[in-house]
Amino acid sequence: MAASLFFRRSVPQHNAGMLARFLCNASSDASIGSPEFVPWRNGGGILHRAASVDPTAVVEAGAVVHSGAVLGKGVVVGSGAVVGPSVSIGQSTRIWYNVVLSNCSVGDFCTIHNGACIGQDGFGFFVGEDGQMLHAKIGNHVEIGANTCIDRGSWRDTVIGDETKIDNLVQIGHNVVIGKCCMICGQVGIAGSATLGDYVTLGGRVAIRDHVSIASKVRLAANSSVTKDIPKSGDYGGFPAVPINEWRRQTANLRIFSKKDGWGGRVAIRDHVSIASKVRLAANSSVTKDIQKHGDYGGFPARYEVHAKLRDA
């Protein structure tokens, strides 16, 4: 009642009918704007006359399928989704709401959740080059979470292997190759041209540097950062990522130092450093070489003499 009263007061009588027809026929009006696009009988979406769509495919209202796109048997494209030119989607794949696909191919029995973007240009810039001209290739039985972004390749295709599962809010850069049966948790970032083997598991918020290779059957703890190749399978963690037992020892040592007499807050210890028993480090100290003698240390780099003077002052 309130809405109808508003329209009667704010819209002149001779325009009210036009507004009502526009709101009721938005889908058909969209096709009238370009004679190349027509409504699809199965779902009410819009597709280009040059698209190849299986009769069993569903294109829901508000979705758009562009020229040259190929939709296989049983494909469902949700409302608001855009299937770009020459994109191919395998049979029984489900594309959820507001997904954008361009410059890519998607395999059979995949699920791509709301808001994911696949096949756009990556964050790479080359002066005098032709730019990123290749594609992103998604295997079969792949699941991609909401608002995940997968960039297309420049010197090689971006590839996601069969049976790989990707969580929400994951960034996969251009030229990345991911093997089969991988598990990638939320907020992971994989920089361009990285290579992951099969059965790799990445915990939440793992960061992987560009051009890094990771062997098959590697598992990375949450918040880890990979700065160089990992050639051997196993469990890793930390920043930079090291074998999991070494990372646990580092973490335990830091906790021990920080609990003694209020000392040790924000202490930093360089890799491959050895520290003797009964050593205490002052807050904000940094250990850059071995400490072989017990006692109190502080400063940057940590030195026994400096802290002794400060304590006695």
Side-chain angles (χ1 to χ4, degrees), residues 73-95:
K73 180 180 178 181
V75 168
V76 178
V77 180
S79 296
V82 177
V83 180
S86 302
V87 169
S88 64
I89 303 175
Q91 66 171 339
S92 301
T93 287
R94 180 62 159 100
I95 309 298

Side-chain angles (χ1 to χ4, degrees), residues 10 21 51 58 65 151-152 220 231 262:
S10 60
R21 287 194 298 274
V58 176
V65 179
D151 300 334
R152 68 168 172 169
L220 282 155

Side-chain angles (χ1 to χ4, degrees), residues 50-51 65-70 83-89 101-106 135:
V65 179
H66 284 264
S67 172
V70 179
V83 180
S86 302
V87 169
S88 64
I89 303 175
L101 304 178
S102 56
N103 310 301
C104 68
S105 62
V106 181
H135 296 81

Side-chain angles (χ1 to χ4, degrees), residues 132-277:
Q132 299 174 26
M133 303 298 293
L134 299 181
H135 296 81
K137 295 183 177 180
I138 312 300
N140 301 322
H141 299 275
V142 173
E143 183 163 351
I144 298 173
N147 296 312
T148 286
C149 296
I150 302 175
D151 300 334
R152 68 168 172 169
S154 57
W155 61 271
R156 67 177 180 183
D157 288 329
T158 302
V159 178
I160 310 298
D162 296 344
E163 306 282 354
T164 289
K165 310 301 180 185
I166 302 173
D167 199 1
N168 302 335
L169 295 168
V170 172
Q171 164 63 31
I172 298 176
H174 56 291
N175 310 321
V176 169
V177 174
I178 297 175
K180 65 180 181 181
C181 299
C182 294
M183 187 77 68
I184 301 176
C185 297
Q187 296 188 355
V188 164
I190 304 177
S193 303
T195 303
L196 279 64
D198 302 331
Y199 303 99
V200 172
T201 300
L202 305 181
R205 299 187 69 183
V206 165
I208 298 178
R209 181 184 170 182
D210 57 297
H211 299 278
V212 161
S213 295
I214 298 177
S216 297
K217 298 183 180 180
V218 166
R219 299 192 304 175
L220 282 155
N223 294 306
S224 301
S225 181
V226 179
T227 59
K228 58 183 179 181
D229 293 349
I230 299 179
K232 185 178 179 181
S233 60
D235 295 344
Y236 295 80
F239 176 64
V242 295
I244 198 71
N245 288 333
E246 182 179 343
W247 175 58
R248 287 169 177 165
R249 285 194 297 269
Q250 293 174 357
T251 303
N253 286 335
L254 288 174
R255 294 181 67 180
I256 291 171
F257 295 145
S258 64
K259 286 181 178 179
K260 294 204 173 188
D261 300 328
W263 292 41
R266 300 186 66 182
V267 168
I269 301 176
R270 181 183 172 183
D271 57 307
H272 303 290
V273 162
S274 296
I275 299 177
S277 300

Side-chain angles (χ1 to χ4, degrees), residues 295-309:
D296 298 340
Y297 293 77
F300 176 70
R303 296 193 299 272
Y304 177 80
E305 295 83 0
V306 168
H307 187 66
K309 292 178 182 178

